[in-house]
């Protein structure tokens, strides 16, 4: 993925800059523009709820914010690589995760209209108590902590080999620049810049796809025949993604925070549109990997295609990565700030909110300097939170408080089975990559649901 060695010159334009110089210019210029354009939050409503002039985000703004905050650098890298590995089936499989928006939108709508809850935390306290809310908060704090280093590491890898000086400097500078405008406006800044970043992402994606489709030997026929619709070649991941979509969104405050800032109807509509449009964006980006597959390329799909088309397309792809990583990072800062200051009710002030942003930026960057084993140990995977499935899907069912803990612990156990690769092979009924992921989730979710309702059945 390293591009620092590719000193391609923009001779045709008369600019004698190498790729790395242009990447620095893109990061610094785009971040400074976003800083100066971002609104300055002066009230807690502006900083934590993105309410400006007593107006909450409308459908278009909220939809765009949801999509771009989830199309992060790591996800579009994965989409392109899955397109390379499995053809269009890989892109469709990864797009399965975007069912999460539809699930979250419908459940949050019900929580707000039928349950009259103002936040996920309020719901958990009312139904399962403060201790359950604390356990949940630890899970999502880990999630936000992971988001910082997992996205900045992708950016760092575009400037140098992992562990190199350029790699570390890119991560530090990118984090500081993104932090600067996030601190300025909180969630208001995050959503405002999301709209700009979504427009940029769309334009850049159109440029890349336009370039690919202008080649003589790449058309819809190559796309349709690029993959095989079998469990071994992509469908394991597709069905695992659909299953995880019933729990995955609820441990991501970047997504759920946006479910409580506009009216319930606008929120539901925005989440449903985001589910469809987000999935389309992922499938379209995976076509870069499909193109790479047809050309017999290997390695990181997006990078290899960029190299093949020359420096301009390479920089466009890099800018997409920068844009998507920045949108996720500023959303992560604002969500962590709201978690600590508002949801945990520690100190609901703008100044404290800004302090928490700086804190998570520092803590989330430290793992970058550690080894891969430590990073893996601090990651909360999608499988580890499948215990949230019955808690939110059956939110209106009356169950004892112990049900929460039984389900969450069960999910964590199955997540460990997957990480340690110790799930019994006789319970895996398909072959190929992601077979373990699929069947650990199937058995895990069934177990979580049964354990969730057992206390209720015993009481009867």
């Amino acid at each position: 993925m390293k591009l620092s060695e590719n000193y391609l010159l923009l001779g045709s334009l008369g600019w004698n800059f190498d790729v790395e110089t242009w990447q620095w210019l893109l990061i610094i210029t785009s971040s400074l523009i976003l800083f100066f354009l971002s609104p300055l939050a002066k009230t807690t409503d502006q900083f934590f709820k993105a309410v400006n002039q007593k107006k909450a985000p409308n459908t278009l703004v909220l939809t765009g914010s949801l999509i771009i905050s989830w199309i992060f650098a790591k996800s579009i890298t994965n989409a392109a690589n899955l397109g390379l590995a499995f053809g269009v089936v890989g892109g469709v499989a990864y797009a399965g995760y975007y069912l999460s928006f539809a699930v979250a939108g419908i459940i949050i709508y019900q929580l707000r209209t039928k349950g009259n809850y103002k936040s996920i935390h309020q719901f958990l306290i009312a139904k399962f108590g403060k201790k359950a809310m604390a356990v949940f908060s630890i899970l999502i704090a880990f999630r936000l902590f992971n988001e910082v280093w997992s996205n900045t590491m992708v950016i760092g890898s575009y400037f140098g080999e992992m562990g190199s000086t350029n790699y570390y400097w890119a991560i530090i500078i990118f984090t500081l620049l993104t932090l600067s405008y996030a601190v300025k406006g909180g969630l208001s800044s995050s959503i405002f810049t999301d709209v700009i970043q979504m427009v940029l992402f769309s334009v850049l994606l159109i440029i890349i796809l336009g370039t690919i489709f202008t080649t003589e030997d790449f058309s819809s026929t190559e796309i349709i025949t690029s993959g095989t619709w079998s469990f071994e070649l992509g469908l394991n991941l597709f069905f695992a993604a659909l299953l995880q979509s019933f729990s995955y969104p609820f441990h991501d405050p970047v997504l759920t925070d946006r479910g409580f800032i506009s009216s319930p109807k606008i929120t539901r509509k925005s989440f449903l549109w985001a589910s469809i449009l987000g999935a389309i964006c992922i499938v379209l980006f995976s076509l870069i990997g499909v193109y790479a597959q047809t050309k017999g390329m290997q390695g990181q799909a997006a990078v290899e295609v960029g190299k093949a088309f020359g420096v301009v397309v390479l920089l466009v792809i890099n800018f997409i990565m920068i844009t998507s990583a920045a949108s996720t990072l500023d959303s992560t800062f604002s969500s962590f700030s709201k978690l600590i200051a508002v949801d945990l009710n520690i100190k609901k002030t703008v100044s404290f909110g800004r302090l928490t942003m700086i804190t998570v930026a520092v803590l989330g960057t430290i793992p970058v300097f550690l080894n891969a084993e430590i990073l893996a140990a601090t990651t909360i995977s999608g499988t580890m939170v499948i215990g949230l499935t019955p808690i939110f899907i059956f939110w209106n069912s009356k169950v004892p408080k112990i049900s929460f803990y039984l389900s969450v612990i069960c999910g964590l156990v199955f997540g460990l089975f997957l990480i340690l690769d110790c799930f019994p092979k006789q319970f895996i009924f398909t072959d190929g990559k992601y077979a373990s992921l699929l069947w650990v989730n199937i058995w895990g979710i069934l177990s979580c649901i049964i354990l969730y309702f057992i206390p209720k059945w015993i009481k009867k």
Side-chain angles (χ1 to χ4, degrees):
M1 193 182 275
K2 184 173 72 170
L3 299 182
S4 55
E5 293 175 353
N6 301 309
Y7 290 101
L8 303 169
L9 301 181
L10 292 178
S12 59
L13 299 177
W15 293 331
N16 196 30
F17 288 149
D18 58 51
V19 170
E20 193 173 313
T21 303
W22 280 104
Q23 288 177 174
W24 279 116
L25 282 172
L26 286 174
I27 281 185
I28 293 168
T29 305
S30 61
S31 297
L32 288 175
I33 290 170
L34 291 176
F35 175 79
F36 287 112
L37 290 178
S38 292
L40 174 64
K42 294 179 180 178
T43 67
T44 53
D45 274 357
Q46 289 173 331
F47 195 83
F48 296 113
K49 295 182 180 178
V51 173
N52 288 294
Q53 297 177 340
K54 296 184 179 180
K55 289 183 179 179
N58 60 30
T59 304
L60 186 63
V61 170
L62 188 57
T63 303
S65 178
L66 283 164
I67 295 170
I68 197 63
S69 64
W70 248 43
I71 299 179
F72 40 96
K74 195 176 177 183
S75 71
I76 56 179
T77 299
N78 289 342
N81 289 340
L82 285 165
L84 173 60
F86 301 117
V88 71
V89 184
V92 171
Y94 200 63
Y97 279 105
Y98 283 75
L99 176 63
S100 295
F101 282 114
V103 172
I106 292 166
I107 297 298
I108 289 172
Y109 178 81
Q110 291 176 351
L111 287 172
R112 292 180 66 183
T113 55
K114 294 181 181 178
N116 293 317
Y117 296 113
K118 307 296 182 188
S119 69
I120 296 289
H121 282 71
Q122 186 190 13
F123 158 67
L124 290 173
I125 291 171
K127 186 156 186 175
F128 301 106
K130 288 187 176 180
K131 287 181 181 177
M133 184 271 286
V135 170
F136 177 77
S137 297
I138 291 168
L139 284 174
I140 63 173
F142 263 106
R143 159 80 185 187
L144 293 169
F145 170 74
N146 293 340
E147 284 296 310
V148 178
W149 57 259
S150 64
N151 276 280
T152 57
M153 283 175 72
V154 174
I155 297 300
S157 65
Y158 275 77
F159 287 83
E161 202 69 55
M162 187 177 287
S164 67
T165 304
N166 283 355
Y167 171 83
Y168 288 130
W169 273 116
I171 288 172
I172 292 167
I173 292 170
F174 176 72
T175 304
L176 288 173
L177 287 170
T178 307
L179 179 65
S180 65
Y181 69 78
V183 163
K184 183 182 177 184
L187 191 57
S188 290
S189 271
S190 180
I191 288 181
F192 175 78
T193 55
D194 281 348
V195 175
I196 298 171
Q197 287 157 338
M198 186 64 212
V199 172
L200 266 176
F201 176 87
S202 303
V203 171
L204 295 171
L205 183 57
I206 289 168
I207 291 169
I208 295 168
L209 293 177
T211 305
I212 290 173
F213 279 102
T214 52
T215 58
E216 292 179 0
D217 51 353
F218 189 69
S219 65
S220 56
T221 305
E222 279 73 32
I223 294 168
I224 293 166
T225 58
S226 64
T228 304
W229 295 87
S230 67
F231 280 96
E232 294 82 359
L233 297 174
L235 291 185
N236 279 324
L237 177 61
F238 176 67
F239 288 112
L242 294 183
L243 285 172
Q244 286 190 357
S245 294
F246 290 93
S247 57
Y248 196 86
F250 300 107
H251 93 299
D252 185 3
V254 167
L255 187 151
T256 54
D257 283 352
R258 284 161 170 73
F260 292 89
I261 54 178
S262 297
S263 72
K265 284 188 177 180
I266 285 177
T267 299
R268 183 176 60 179
K269 188 190 297 184
S270 298
F271 272 72
L272 292 174
W273 273 114
S275 186
I276 297 165
L277 298 176
I280 291 171
C281 285
I282 287 295
V283 173
L284 288 175
F285 201 86
S286 74
L287 297 184
I288 295 171
V290 175
Y291 177 83
Q293 185 195 66
T294 63
K295 299 301 176 187
M297 296 178 184
Q298 293 183 331
Q300 295 291 334
V303 176
E304 297 306 316
V305 170
K307 288 179 186 177
F309 281 104
V311 68
V312 175
V313 173
L314 191 62
L315 287 170
V316 169
I317 289 174
N318 292 357
F319 198 27
I320 277 191
M321 294 298 177
I322 292 165
T323 300
S324 56
S327 68
T328 304
L329 200 56
D330 65 49
S331 297
T332 298
F333 293 150
S334 59
S335 288
F336 187 83
S337 177
K338 178 179 173 289
L339 170 66
I340 303 300
V342 179
D343 295 331
L344 297 181
N345 199 27
I346 293 176
K347 191 178 182 182
K348 191 180 174 182
T349 64
V350 173
S351 57
F352 183 71
R354 288 180 172 133
L355 180 62
T356 57
M357 283 187 174
I358 295 167
T359 303
V360 76
V362 173
L363 293 177
T365 304
I366 290 172
V368 167
F369 300 92
L370 306 175
N371 60 41
E373 287 75 20
I374 294 174
L375 293 180
T378 61
T379 300
I380 299 290
S381 70
T383 303
M384 294 180 87
V385 295
I386 56 174
L388 297 177
T389 304
I391 292 165
F392 288 97
I393 300 303
F394 306 111
W395 70 272
N396 211 15
S397 297
K398 290 184 178 180
V399 292
K401 290 180 180 180
I402 189 68
S403 293
F404 174 90
Y405 300 98
L406 290 173
S407 185
V408 168
I409 291 168
C410 179
L412 289 170
V413 169
F414 274 88
L416 288 172
F417 283 159
L418 188 65
I419 291 169
L420 300 174
D421 194 25
C422 59
F423 190 71
K425 297 290 185 278
Q426 56 265 38
F427 292 110
I428 298 173
F429 300 112
T430 56
D431 297 317
K433 196 173 183 182
Y434 303 113
S436 293
L437 175 70
L438 172 61
W439 289 97
V440 167
N441 276 270
I442 289 173
W443 295 115
I445 290 170
L446 284 172
S447 301
C448 289
I449 292 171
I450 291 167
L451 283 172
Y452 184 75
F453 283 110
I454 278 177
K456 181 180 181 179
W457 297 333
I458 291 172
K459 273 196 167 186
K460 281 185 176 181

